[in-house]
């Protein structure tokens, strides 16, 4: 199994932080990691679960229904 095939607690922590702020930049600042790392983590989660967790509209993030479900389980 490749490393990107495994979801970690880190993946979920990043997701919860992005969902809290609805901003990858603010999540990156809070987590003290680079914004591209946050974006890649979210993309890995979306790819792993085969769902879209956020809608990206006019540079703003909104949780999808699947994202809301994952947020409840991740918390």
């Amino acid at each position: 199994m490749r490393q990107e095939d495994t979801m970690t607690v880190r993946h979920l922590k990043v997701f919860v932080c992005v969902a809290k702020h609805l901003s990858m930049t603010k999540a990156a600042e809070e987590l003290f990691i680079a914004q591209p790392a946050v974006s890649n983590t979210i993309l890995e989660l979306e790819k792993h679960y085969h769902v879209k967790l956020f809608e990206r509209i006019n540079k703003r993030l909104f949780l999808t229904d699947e994202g809301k479900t994952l947020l409840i389980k991740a918390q």
Side-chain angles (χ1 to χ4, degrees):
M1 183 180 285
R2 297 177 312 188
Q3 182 177 355
E4 60 269 12
D5 290 337
T6 304
M7 291 297 98
T8 64
V9 172
R10 179 188 147 285
H11 283 90
L12 296 177
K13 284 183 179 180
V14 170
F15 168 73
V16 169
C17 194
V18 172
K20 176 175 95 173
H21 294 290
L22 292 176
S23 167
M24 294 202 193
T25 301
K26 288 180 184 176
E29 290 169 0
E30 182 175 315
L31 296 168
F32 302 103
I33 58 177
Q35 187 274 329
V38 171
S39 297
N40 286 337
T41 301
I42 297 301
L43 289 174
E44 287 172 5
L45 277 168
E46 291 178 331
K47 190 174 180 182
H48 179 80
Y49 291 111
H50 307 286
V51 296
K52 197 169 187 182
L53 299 171
F54 295 94
E55 285 291 332
R56 293 146 178 96
I57 302 169
N58 295 330
K59 297 189 178 187
R60 294 191 62 208
L61 292 180
F62 300 90
L63 273 173
T64 62
D65 289 339
E66 293 87 354
K68 290 175 186 175
T69 300
L70 181 58
L71 180 59
I72 290 167
K73 292 180 181 197
Q75 290 175 326

